[in-house]
């Protein structure tokens, strides 16, 4: 079954610690995205990558970093510079980057909390 | 920034009734998409309507788009308890290159 796998499902961060959220897809999609969702809110774009070895900042990139070394993987690091990291993080992919009229496919999210 | 704003924020109906949710947005778009999110899960794509389309159907779903009013509606007919979820509209702005901007969502509860 093709899809997007996010891990872990729950993650706890201590003050001053960096944590990395995993996102893997086997859909052979070029584009991948990271969103943050706060309670009762919509999704906000953190970073996106239209093709391997390339990525761009979204609307709320401060305190986050990403890499895209492989087509199927797009890990997100929440750094200690992100002062309010508690949120639900969602990873998504779409077939090609930069072209409209494509749905995005989502993983089941990682819930990050502060200890 | 949130481009789409859904209305109402919450909706409670009885099974078998129709549910209508509205979305307003601010800029020119290539398309508008509707997604569903069950509690604690990821989003599931429901339907995509392009800027040159006015209405689209998929099973019990009917979506309309009025680009002159910058608004869209999602109608779920003959609702079921399994339709209980949050529903989000997302816009792909002109020149956005498939970057979606999501609204704040409508929380739908379908009671037996």
């Amino acid at each position: 079954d093709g899809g997007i796998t996010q891990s872990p499902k729950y993650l706890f961060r201590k003050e001053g610690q960096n944590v990395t959220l995993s996102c893997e897809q086997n859909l052979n999609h070029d584009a991948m995205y990271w969103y943050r969702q706060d309670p009762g809110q919509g999704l906000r774009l953190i970073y996106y990558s239209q093709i391997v070895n390339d990525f761009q900042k979204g609307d709320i990139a401060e305190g986050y970093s990403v890499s895209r070394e492989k087509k199927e993987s797009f890990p997100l690091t929440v750094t200690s510079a992100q002062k309010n990291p508690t949120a639900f993080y969602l990873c998504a992919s779409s077939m090609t980057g930069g072209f409209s009229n494509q749905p995005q496919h989502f993983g089941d999210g990682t819930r990050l909390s502060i200890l | 920034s949130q481009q789409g704003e859904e209305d109402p924020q919450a909706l409670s109906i009885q099974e078998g009734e129709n549910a209508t949710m509205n979305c307003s947005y601010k800029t020119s778009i290539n398309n508008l998409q509707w997604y569903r999110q069950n509690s604690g899960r990821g989003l599931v794509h429901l339907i995509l309507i392009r800027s040159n389309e006015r209405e689209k159907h998929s099973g019990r779903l009917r979506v309309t788009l009025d680009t002159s009013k910058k608004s869209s509606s999602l109608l779920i007919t003959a609702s079921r308890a399994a339709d209980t979820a949050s529903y989000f509209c997302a816009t792909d702005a002109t020149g956005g290159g498939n970057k979606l901007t999501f609204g704040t969502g409508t929380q739908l509860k379908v009671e037996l």
Side-chain angles (χ1 to χ4, degrees), chain B residues 85-102:
Chain B
S86 293
Y87 292 82
F88 295 90
C89 68
T91 50
D92 180 3
T94 303
N98 211 40
K99 278 173 52 186
L100 296 181
T101 301
F102 285 82

Side-chain angles (χ1 to χ4, degrees), chain A residues 20-62:
Chain A
T20 297
L21 284 61
S22 171
C23 177
E24 303 277 330
Q25 55 101 356
N26 62 3
L27 298 166
N28 200 32
H29 285 176
D30 282 330
M32 297 185 76
Y33 313 81
W34 273 106
Y35 295 93
R36 170 181 172 139
Q37 185 178 31
D38 292 284
Q41 300 294 313
L43 280 63
R44 291 184 290 168
L45 183 64
I46 305 172
Y47 268 97
Y48 64 104
S49 168
Q50 295 182 343
I51 200 163
V52 67
N53 290 324
D54 187 45
F55 52 83
Q56 286 83 37
K57 292 181 180 180
D59 299 321
I60 54 165
E62 187 173 346

Side-chain angles (χ1 to χ4, degrees), chain B residues 12-25:
Chain B
S12 184
I13 59 174
Q14 298 293 313
E15 201 171 47
E17 293 181 337
N18 295 343
T20 299
M21 288 158 264
N22 302 297
C23 170
S24 60
Y25 59 92

